[in-house]
Amino acid sequence: MTRLTARFWVDAYLARLRFQDIPAFITSHGDDTAGAVLVKLNSLDGKARAFHRTYDLMSGARKWDELAAGAEAEVDASIRRQRDFDPDLWVIEVEDRQGRHLLDEPGLE
């Protein structure tokens, strides 16, 4: 299976969010070609969740797993640690009171 560049995936994801009127912003621009992507869901109530893409070696499937959840400051600290470890990391912040992030929709794995 052909792998999309990180920049292409991020642009497509942001377009899909805009289509659903869900605000989202790039808070950290990673490597355009091979950077990993992390998505922070800010529910605008002081809480947040962070998701990262994982790869199942047995099935070959990609999926989004929760990396951190809780108070927004704690989630931000977790994201900061990830950025310190991987400077090529993209971070997308999605702001939605309903908790929509669309990562569970087809085509975003």
Side-chain angles (χ1 to χ4, degrees), residues 33-102:
T33 305
V37 179
L38 191 146
V39 176
K40 175 187 170 187
L41 174 61
N42 183 345
S43 53
L44 305 172
D45 62 356
K47 298 193 188 294
R49 296 165 64 196
F51 299 90
H52 66 135
R53 194 166 24 192
T54 62
Y55 185 77
D56 183 341
L57 293 174
M58 297 301 287
S59 69
R62 291 172 170 246
K63 65 178 186 161
W64 289 92
D65 280 336
E66 191 172 87
L67 175 69
E72 185 177 7
E74 292 172 12
V75 173
D76 286 342
S78 179
I79 293 170
R80 204 169 21 261
R81 285 190 297 274
Q82 292 295 314
R83 287 273 309 137
D84 289 345
F85 178 74
D86 182 3
D88 292 331
L89 181 69
W90 288 79
V91 179
I92 310 300
E93 182 163 346
V94 178
E95 295 180 345
D96 189 66
R97 291 186 193 282
Q98 298 172 37
R100 299 173 297 165
H101 50 67
L102 308 182

